[in-house]
Amino acid sequence: MSLLDIQGLFVHFGGVAAVDNVSFDLREGEILGLIGPNGSGKTTVLNLLSGFLPPHAGHVRMRGEDITGMPPDRLAQRGVLRMFQMTRVFARMSAFDNLLTAGMARGLAESEAGKRAQALVEELTLGPVQYLDAGQLSGGQRKLLEFGMCFIEPPLVAMLDEPFAAVHPVMREVMANFIRSRHAQGHTFLLVSHDMPIIVDLCQRAVCMNAGRVIAAGDIHSVLQSHDVIEAYLGNSDTGPGHEPPSSLEVHPK
Ligand SMILES: Nc1ncnc2c1ncn2[C@@H]1O[C@H](COP(=O)(O)OP(=O)(O)OP(=O)(O)O)[C@@H](O)[C@H]1O
Ligand SMILES: [Mg+2]
């Protein structure tokens, strides 16, 4: 069953259609990969779905309710949360206090927020740095902290924009395990990543965009093997410079 039903989303910046008639569904409890070369519109789709940008056309329905253009705070109350490509934490507050504040902002009592913050600090291996200002943490540790802030009150759907980019492999594995464990508990994810082995490892299905449009959707392996997808990553005269192709040889099928 669909958690989000996305129909005909369209947004343009001046003459550029950044998201052009995009339709797909996000199913309850799945991890759906959203892939595509640089500039293909993935972050813009997340902006539209999480209310940071209103679409010029199209609809988003959550379990049948029209949530198109709803602002981020109202969507967050309904359990739609996103993480950013650039991490957003309070740099001059300790890592632990960031978690506590995130919990209280989502309506938890301080004692409950504190308990959950402690458990998340341990699960996310942030114990040794929990009392440092978040601004002193490494990029990977800040990403882990943002995971904790997002999940201190688990969302219905978490939208993650490049969470693994430039993160140490050990922390990547902590993140991947965190996503796996929440997925096993039934949580739903929309995951944007250029890291194809991780996408194949975590996602059963994927949507691939190029130049604002959906060019393939479905089972992860069929998407990666699609002629249009390989072509888009290699780049051609219509799409500008490409990106490393998501060769199925690079990935390890489940
Ligand atoms: N605020 C904006 N103003 C003008 N153009 C924008 C804006 N945001 C995005 N764009 C343009 O929209 C297109 C899609 O950008 P977007 O950031 O969604 O791509 P992306 O798939 O997330 O790329 P990447 O993989 O590099 O993060 C690009 O051509 C980009 O330059
Ligand atoms: Mg992006």
Side-chain angles (χ1 to χ4, degrees):
M1 187 191 160
S2 288
L3 178 59
L4 293 183
D5 177 23
I6 296 140
Q7 287 295 334
L9 280 188
F10 179 82
V11 77
H12 64 89
F13 299 112
V16 178
V19 170
D20 190 359
N21 197 23
V22 163
S23 303
F24 62 91
D25 70 318
L26 177 63
R27 299 178 187 163
E28 301 266 3
E30 78 171 337
I31 307 174
L32 179 68
L34 180 57
I35 63 171
N38 293 117
S40 55
K42 306 177 299 294
T43 295
T44 309
V45 165
L46 293 201
N47 285 337
L48 294 171
L49 298 180
S50 54
F52 286 86
L53 190 69
H56 293 126
H59 287 279
V60 184
R61 290 191 181 79
M62 183 163 76
R63 292 176 173 163
E65 180 192 12
D66 193 339
I67 58 165
T68 316
M70 222 178 242
D73 54 334
R74 283 183 61 203
L75 285 172
Q77 282 166 5
R78 284 171 163 73
V80 180
L81 274 193
R82 72 168 293 189
M83 281 174 55
F84 288 85
Q85 203 161 353
M86 301 300 292
T87 309
R88 294 186 172 186
V89 295
F90 298 110
R92 295 202 179 162
M93 199 184 263
S94 75
F96 185 87
D97 285 348
N98 264 278
L99 288 166
L100 195 64
T101 306
M104 289 167 70
R106 306 264 289 282
L108 298 177
E110 188 173 352
S111 57
E112 178 62 20
K115 256 189 256 166
R116 293 191 193 183
Q118 200 53 61
L120 284 163
V121 155
E122 272 154 43
E123 183 178 359
L124 294 167
T125 65
L126 293 172
V129 296
Q130 62 179 311
Y131 300 118
L132 293 183
D133 281 355
Q136 291 177 266
L137 270 48
S138 71
Q141 288 168 330
R142 280 203 298 272
K143 282 270 178 208
L144 287 171
L145 178 58
E146 211 188 340
F147 267 91
M149 291 166 70
C150 187
F151 276 86
I152 193 147
E153 173 69 346
L156 218 46
V157 49
M159 302 186 192
L160 313 180
D161 200 355
E162 306 263 14
F164 307 104
V167 170
H168 188 280
V170 169
M171 285 181 227
R172 270 187 206 207
E173 200 43 37
V174 175
M175 277 178 205
N177 282 337
F178 190 86
I179 294 172
R180 282 186 198 105
S181 89
R182 296 319 187 266
H183 176 235
Q185 292 166 17
H187 295 293
T188 307
F189 290 86
L190 181 56
L191 173 62
V192 172
S193 179
H194 287 294
D195 188 324
M196 292 306 153
I198 286 193
I199 285 275
V200 171
D201 181 22
L202 293 175
C203 304
Q204 301 74 47
R205 294 199 313 133
V207 171
C208 182
M209 294 181 68
N210 188 35
R213 299 195 178 147
V214 172
I215 56 165
D219 164 76
I220 182 70
H221 296 291
S222 59
V223 167
L224 291 186
Q225 281 156 17
S226 140
H227 175 77
D228 288 348
V229 171
I230 292 167
E231 188 83 335
Y233 274 86
L234 289 171
N236 59 40
S237 53
D238 294 327
T239 57
H243 198 273
E244 282 298 302
S247 161
S248 51
L249 296 175
E250 290 173 32
V251 299
H252 311 286
K254 276 181 266 205

